[in-house]
Structure formats: structure tokens, C-alpha cells
Amino acid sequence: MRIALDAMGGDHAPEEIVKGAIEAASEMDINILLVGRPEAIEPLLQQAPATVRKRIEIVAASEVIAMDESPATALRKKKDASIVVATRLVKEGKAEALVSAGSTGAQMAASLLGLGRISGIDRPAIATILPTLEGGKLLLDVGANAEAKPKNLLQFAMMGSVYAEKVMGISNPRVALLNIGEEETKGNELVLSTYGMLKEAPLRFIGNVEGRDLFFGRADVIVCDGFVGNVVLKFGEGMIGALTKMIKDELKNSRLAQLGALLATPALREMGKRLDYAEYGGAPLLGVNGVSIICHGSSKAKAIKNALRVAQQGVEERFIQAIKDHIPGKGDPV
Amino acid sequence: MRIALDAMGGDHAPEEIVKGAIEAASEMDINILLVGRPEAIEPLLQQAPATVRKRIEIVAASEVIAMDESPATALRKKKDASIVVATRLVKEGKAEALVSAGSTGAQMAASLLGLGRISGIDRPAIATILPTLEGGKLLLDVGANAEAKPKNLLQFAMMGSVYAEKVMGISNPRVALLNIGEEETKGNELVLSTYGMLKEAPLRFIGNVEGRDLFFGRADVIVCDGFVGNVVLKFGEGMIGALTKMIKDELKNSRLAQLGALLATPALREMGKRLDYAEYGGAPLLGVNGVSIICHGSSKAKAIKNALRVAQQGVEERFIQAIKDHIPGKGDPV
């Protein structure tokens, strides 16, 4: 299996990206196409053992799209950007999946343009794994769209259910709608309309869940619009950061507190890592016609390696085909 | 100062409500009107010292609105409900503020009906104190409205700014919009339209903040619609609950971990308490023409006492008048 990896995307590119590729190629049965400037990538590959090195190939791309560039403009102007070339490799069948820690907007636009949407899907969604007391659950959309219609949320639910079953191994996953109350009559217009559609859909829809339910694993797939999902995800990140800082501050107070802080750190760090979707291995962009894994901009080698693993699983479990099988096509009645 | 307290509202009513009233009357310079069934309240007041007892008066109300009743129907049917009678006391000038841990919907409806809105305010907002590394900040709306328009968010910002200045003592508070990116061009239609209005408003508007910024105190007043605010607030509650459970589970593993968990508990508990707006003392319902403090349904004596303190401060600082002074009235141009 070949996976295209954008060597130039992210805060720590290309060093940490290449390092992650080397680690992944050592541990996993994959070939990696590192896309970017050969002169930047080649020297970093020196550290790889020969057996690993031969499983990594460099594919030249002369340009890079910066985090703060407008995705639409950048894609128009930079035909030879690493994310564009990496996407093209998937489109042309030279790679089976794509991983990038570069601009999320650019990756979304390149994936939509280069790979196209799955028939019957109007908009893609970014799905992230949320850690809960009952294991990892899927939350989507966490930011592909700032605005959503009921039919979008329905499609997110369908795709999420397929992904949870195929890739996460949760059989007959419970799908829920993120809302401000459990009752069917609660919520804004968007969720009220969506509720009725989810009830009728071929899903195991269990109704509404509230924010406080998320960590207790009451649902396997939680659907919300990308605005709410993004705010909530970042709120969680910030909260873990603040708690960690509060506990570190305790270090200054006493030896006893110091010990406590040290001992409690693993649980916090574990939860913090999982909330950071990069650390968890990248978030699949569901709805495009190909495996496209989005990494956090701050990804380091470990996150990249984990994202490559998510890409590998996605290809192996053929979730794109599974989504196609479950989503009524454009001509079909919804 | 007299404060009307709904003795019958909440999961632990009337026992914990009366207990909270006794504690508040012991510590603070207020008189409390306990509203509810005298036969249920009277025996609980036996425990109060005579000096405290004489500062607590029982006002009879024969009915109670349950948590799961439809607020509109309940208010129509139960004319002698404790929340209705308590609100009437404020309306008639027999009390200066109202506190309840009963149904939030019923309290909102009773406050709107009984006290009316402040002129120029289309919808009220529930404002809660969010703990941050830089002290308590104000987040609103956390659930008064599932849906909001830009002009509502503008009004929330104006009211929140006044409340932060008058009651929380933050001079010239920084107001921000909760969004999925910092740039002015980010977000859904609601926040994009609101951004422009906030820029023009007589506020210290500092732009957008993301979910992860909330705990680092970058803004003093954070504005969002009630759907987003409610989901985020409950997400925080759930996360604290899950973390606490994770740390408790560590207790089973080893003596060392046990010690760490014990030592780290205070920081978590502190943050958990603050996130629970009941524990923080209740959340003001901003926009109605009177001081109406909403407590969490699970409030115990301490939360009730703190809510009475919030009510007392609200009356003392005359924030209702301050909001009126700052909000253009109905006839005025906005």
C-alpha cells in the first residue's frame, strides 16, 4: 500500500513529517510517497536505515501553501503545491491515501477538487475520535463546514456510522444528535429538523445527547454542525491545557503537591493527547472520494505516524466503498 | 434587602433550599422570603437560631412546577406556583430579587411574564461565570435561547459588558465573539453578521476568540448563541466529571497513584465546581426587568447561599438600571 504524505505541511515541516514517515515505514507494512521539495527532504532521509529508506519515495513538488493563505486562491495559483501533487497521486491511483498537516482549508479544497465528492454527499465532514470512559467515539463535523442543513447532518450521520463500524470496529453503532436537551422537542431549528430525518434513516439513532454525555460513551457517533463541533473540540483542548497548567502551578507550592501533580499528570496528559486530534492520529475527511486524513498543524513525528496508521486502516477496511454502498446516490430518493 | 427564594424548586427542595436560606441569613445582611408550602418549610426552619429565624419569612404558595412540565402550560395552569408567587413579590416591590433552582424554562417564562423585558432587549440571556487562569469571565448566552439573531448577540454583548463592569468589577471589559477562527472572515452567517455590529457598538470589542482561548482569560465577556453556549458548558461539566472518574480509577492501581490522585483532586474539584454554575452561585437572567438568578437543578445549600449572594450583589450594584442606561430603548435608533 502506498500513502502520499505532504512533507511540507504543518508547523514542524519538513523535519517532523519526514521523521514520522521513517517511523511509520519501520513499523508498518506501507510505502510512503513523500511529497515536497527534494532538496529539503533528501537530507532528512539520511537517518533512515536502508531497509526503511527503500520504502520511502520522494515525489517532487516545488510549492507550499501556507497556513494563512486563502485556500481557493492558493490552489488556483500554486499548481505545484505539495498538497495538490499529493492529492493528484491519489487521484491517479499512484497512492491509495493522502495525509497532510498543512492548511486544513487547502487540504479540503484540494481533496474536493482532486478526488471529488462521493455521489449523494453534498458536503464533507471532518470526523474526530473523542476519548470517553467507554473508549473512542466519533464526533463529526468538527469544522469542515461553518454552516449546515439538516440533510448535511443526516449525511454526516450515515458516513459516521459506516466509519465507526468499518474502521473503529463498533458493530451496529449508536448514532446521536448533539443537542441542549434529551427531549425530541429541544434545540434549534437545525437539530429539530434533523431529528425527524435521523429517526427515519437506516441508522441506529438513539436520539439526542447533551454536552455532558459525550465523555460517558452513551453514543458511538455524535453528529453536530461544524461550528458547534469545532468550538467544543477546541474548548476541550483549552480546558485540558488550563488544568495541566493549574496542576503544574501546584508544583510550586509544596513537595506533597509536587508529588501529587506528578502522579496525576499521566491521566491528564492521556486525555489531552486524545482530545488533540493530531495526536490521536489525524481526522478523516469523510465524504470525498478517497482517503484523506487531516492532521493538526502542530503535528510532530508521532502524530504523523499515527495518521499514517489511520490512513492504512481506512484503505484496508475500504470505508470509501462502504460509504458508497450505504448512501443513496444522486438519482436515488433520500 | 429582601430576596424571594423559591423554596420548592430543585432536586433537593425544600430541605437544601431552606438550609441555604438559613446559612445566607446567618452570614449576609439580607432578609429572605421563602416561597412555598408552609407545612413543608416551617419544620425545616426549626434548626435556625432565633436571630436568624426572624430574618426569614414564609410566603405561602400551594403549587410547584415540576422540572419536566411545559413552562407555558404550567404557568397558565398553576397560578399559585412557588416560582410565580416569588416573581410576583419582585414585581410588587415586596422583594428586590428572585432566586430559584426549579425549572429554568418556568423561571424564564415567569420572569418574562411577571417582570417584563428591559426596553430595547428582544430576548434575555443566561450569563454564567467561566473560571479561567485569569479569574472569572462571563459567558452568555448559555441556554435562554436555542436560536439567536445578530441583534440578539449584540444585546447580549451590551448586557454582559455592563454586568461584568458593575457586578464583577472588571473595568472596561473586553468583549469577544466565540468563533471557529480568529479572523473576521471566519464563522457561520450568524457570527459573521454579528462581528460587524459589534465593531460599531459602544463596546471594547476585541474580535473573535476560539474555544481553546476561553480558559486563558483573553476576553472578559464572551458572546455566543444559547445553543453553542449550552453545549460547551455541559461539555465542560462532563469533561471534569470524566477526568475526576479517571483519576479516581487510578486509586485502585497503586498506593503511589492513590496519593497522586488525592493530591490532585483539589485542582480538579475547584475547576469542576466553578464550571457548575450552580456552585458558582447561580447565573443571572439578563434582559428581564428585575434581578432573577437561575440555579442549577441539583443545587444544595451552599449553591443556594452563593446564589443569594449573587442576587444581593446584583441589587446593590444596580445592574438593571445600568443596563437600561446603556441599551438604546425601543424608540431609539440601534
Side-chain angles (χ1 to χ4, degrees), chain B residues 54-309:
Chain B
K54 66 181 182 189
R55 296 169 70 179
I56 301 176
E57 192 184 319
I58 298 175
V59 177
S62 61
E63 292 172 299
V64 180
I65 296 179
M67 291 302 212
D68 55 358
E69 280 185 86
S70 150
T73 316
L75 286 185
R76 227 178 7 253
K77 282 190 187 163
K78 298 183 172 173
K79 301 285 183 202
D80 202 39
S82 55
I83 184 69
V84 175
V85 175
T87 309
R88 195 184 304 138
L89 291 171
V90 177
K91 188 186 181 182
E92 294 173 350
K94 292 174 185 159
E96 281 147 288
L98 154 75
V99 172
S100 174
S103 154
T104 299
Q107 183 174 357
M108 274 177 45
S111 296
L112 277 168
L113 238 72
L115 309 176
R117 280 171 303 168
I118 291 174
S119 176
I121 299 296
D122 294 289
R123 291 187 187 193
I126 302 174
T128 191
I129 307 285
L130 196 76
T132 81
L133 295 175
E134 304 296 325
K137 306 299 179 189
L138 199 69
L139 177 70
L140 76 167
D141 173 27
V142 295
N145 316 278
E147 209 90 50
K149 295 190 175 124
K151 70 170 179 181
N152 301 129
L153 296 192
L154 169 65
Q155 292 166 6
F156 299 168
M158 301 287 287
M159 294 193 292
S161 179
V162 169
Y163 190 85
E165 180 130 22
K166 295 293 282 186
V167 181
M168 298 166 73
I170 301 170
S171 82
N172 200 13
R174 298 160 301 172
V175 176
L177 191 58
L178 185 56
N179 205 337
I180 58 173
E182 291 190 8
E183 306 86 344
E184 186 170 346
T185 54
K186 282 284 174 85
N188 56 20
E189 282 174 33
L190 173 63
V191 298
L192 286 170
S193 304
T194 305
Y195 195 103
M197 293 171 84
L198 289 175
K199 269 209 309 197
E200 303 298 321
L203 288 167
R204 186 175 168 198
F205 178 55
I206 60 162
N208 295 323
V209 292
E210 294 185 73
R212 69 166 72 92
D213 301 322
L214 292 185
F215 290 105
F216 294 89
R218 282 197 43 222
D220 301 306
V221 177
I222 304 106
V223 176
C224 60
D225 73 66
F227 189 91
V228 169
N230 192 271
V231 166
V232 156
L233 193 71
K234 288 178 181 164
F235 182 82
E237 275 182 46
M239 198 161 150
I240 287 287
L243 273 171
T244 305
K245 190 167 180 317
M246 277 171 85
I247 289 186
K248 275 189 186 150
D249 289 347
E250 288 290 308
L251 280 172
K252 294 168 197 153
N253 295 340
S254 77
R255 291 250 175 141
L256 213 64
Q258 201 167 10
L259 187 63
L262 275 172
L263 296 173
T265 302
L268 276 180
R269 193 160 44 200
E270 187 59 30
M271 193 130 177
K273 265 200 303 200
R274 288 182 187 174
L275 264 181
D276 180 351
Y277 63 83
E279 287 292 330
Y280 212 78
L285 179 64
L286 300 182
V288 294
N289 193 15
V291 178
S292 179
I293 307 297
I294 296 173
C295 301
H296 205 285
S298 62
S299 292
K300 294 202 170 182
K302 191 176 169 192
I304 296 298
K305 183 187 74 182
N306 290 337
L308 288 164
R309 197 186 304 279

Side-chain angles (χ1 to χ4, degrees), chain A residues 240-279:
Chain A
I240 287 288
L243 273 172
T244 306
K245 191 167 178 316
M246 277 173 85
I247 288 187
K248 274 188 187 151
D249 288 348
E250 289 289 310
L251 280 173
K252 294 166 197 154
N253 295 341
S254 76
R255 291 252 175 137
L256 213 64
Q258 202 167 9
L259 187 64
L262 274 173
L263 296 173
T265 303
L268 277 180
R269 194 161 43 202
E270 187 58 29
M271 193 130 176
K273 266 202 302 200
R274 289 183 187 174
L275 264 181
D276 180 351
Y277 63 84
E279 286 292 330

Side-chain angles (χ1 to χ4, degrees), chain B residues 29-42:
Chain B
D29 186 21
I30 54 170
N31 289 291
I32 296 168
L33 305 180
L34 266 175
V35 185
R37 297 195 183 112
E39 66 277 18
I41 301 169
E42 185 65 61

